[in-house]
């Protein structure tokens, strides 16, 4: 068992639907610690940096428009095996397929407007934490 840090983003639909508290409480309930938190708006440059692996895919322009459409919350969560634990709590990308009990399964019916992003590996977590919480 390794204590890890992972990055989550509560996307514009989560903020607009006033789900910040309910979503963050799921992670706190599980025992994960919120060790940093900020509310901000994506720029196009930031979207291209964060979603670098998706630039050029058919859904990218819609994804960029969506992620820039409103305020976003970024947080660093910490706990045992946090990367995998958080991915399981949020559920698969598509809210239609995400099982009940997961965050997307309980609150989303969309492949794109799926409320939340979470790092998919420890390597991604380190890269994404540095994007949203740079250490000077
Ligand atoms: P996220 O976990 O933030 O990682 C990439 C995002 O792209 C994903 O959540 C969705 O919001 C979006 N996405 C992934 N696949 C698709 C798709 N097929 N169509 C539209 N949006 C997608």
């Amino acid at each position: 068992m390794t204590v890890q840090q992972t990055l989550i983003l509560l996307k514009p639909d989560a903020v607009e639907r006033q789900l910040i508290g309910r979503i963050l409480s799921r992670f706190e309930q599980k025992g994960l610690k919120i060790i940093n938190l900020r509310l901000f708006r994506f720029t196009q440059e930031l979207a291209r940096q964060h979603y670098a692996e998706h630039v050029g895919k058919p859904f990218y322009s819609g994804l960029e428009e969506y992620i820039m459409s409103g305020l976003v919350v970024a947080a660093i969560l910490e706990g045992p095996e946090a990367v995998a634990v958080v991915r399981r709590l949020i559920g698969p990308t598509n809210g239609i397929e995400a099982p009940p009990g997961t965050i997307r399964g309980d609150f989303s019916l969309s492949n794109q407007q799926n409320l939340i992003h979470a790092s998919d590996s420890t390597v991604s977590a380190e890269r994404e934490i540095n994007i949203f919480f740079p250490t000077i």
Side-chain angles (χ1 to χ4, degrees), residues 41-87:
R41 190 181 280 265
F42 261 81
T43 60
Q44 189 175 52
E45 188 188 1
L46 192 57
R48 288 183 181 169
Q49 189 183 1
H50 173 62
Y51 283 127
E53 67 181 294
H54 298 302
V55 173
K57 289 185 183 172
F59 62 83
Y60 182 73
S61 62
L63 174 60
E64 188 180 88
E65 191 181 332
Y66 155 59
I67 204 68
M68 291 170 60
S69 68
L71 291 170
V72 166
V73 172
I76 303 174
L77 302 178
E78 184 179 87
E81 304 296 333
V83 172
V85 168
V86 168
R87 293 282 290 190

Side-chain angles (χ1 to χ4, degrees), residues 7-27:
L7 181 104
I8 59 164
L9 296 173
L10 307 190
K11 300 181 187 180
D13 52 329
V15 176
E16 181 63 32
R17 289 171 59 192
Q18 299 184 248
L19 291 173
I20 297 172
R22 274 203 273 179
I23 293 174
L24 291 179
S25 72
R26 297 270 187 126
F27 299 115

Side-chain angles (χ1 to χ4, degrees):
M1 188 281 287
T2 315
V3 174
Q4 297 173 341
Q5 292 183 357
T6 191
L7 181 104
I8 59 164
L9 296 173
L10 307 190
K11 300 181 187 180
D13 52 329
V15 176
E16 181 63 32
R17 289 171 59 192
Q18 299 184 248
L19 291 173
I20 297 172
R22 274 203 273 179
I23 293 174
L24 291 179
S25 72
R26 297 270 187 126
F27 299 115
E28 291 193 315
Q29 243 177 305
K30 183 72 175 170
L32 294 157
K33 286 196 177 118
I34 299 168
I35 63 164
N36 214 332
L37 189 70
R38 60 183 279 240
L39 183 69
F40 65 100
R41 190 181 280 265
F42 261 81
T43 60
Q44 189 175 52
E45 188 188 1
L46 192 57
R48 288 183 181 169
Q49 189 183 1
H50 173 62
Y51 283 127
E53 67 181 294
H54 298 302
V55 173
K57 289 185 183 172
F59 62 83
Y60 182 73
S61 62
L63 174 60
E64 188 180 88
E65 191 181 332
Y66 155 59
I67 204 68
M68 291 170 60
S69 68
L71 291 170
V72 166
V73 172
I76 303 174
L77 302 178
E78 184 179 87
E81 304 296 333
V83 172
V85 168
V86 168
R87 293 282 290 190
R88 280 197 293 273
L89 287 172
I90 74 175
T93 302
N94 191 340
I96 289 177
E97 288 159 13
T102 65
I103 293 166
R104 287 167 171 164
D106 288 351
F107 295 110
S108 169
L109 275 172
S110 170
N111 204 16
Q112 180 172 276
Q113 303 209 349
N114 58 0
L115 300 165
I116 181 163
H117 165 85
S119 308
D120 63 5
S121 66
T122 52
V123 173
S124 302
E126 191 180 351
R127 185 183 83 85
E128 293 172 2
I129 286 169
N130 283 326
I131 293 174
F132 297 102
F133 298 94
T135 46
I136 301 155

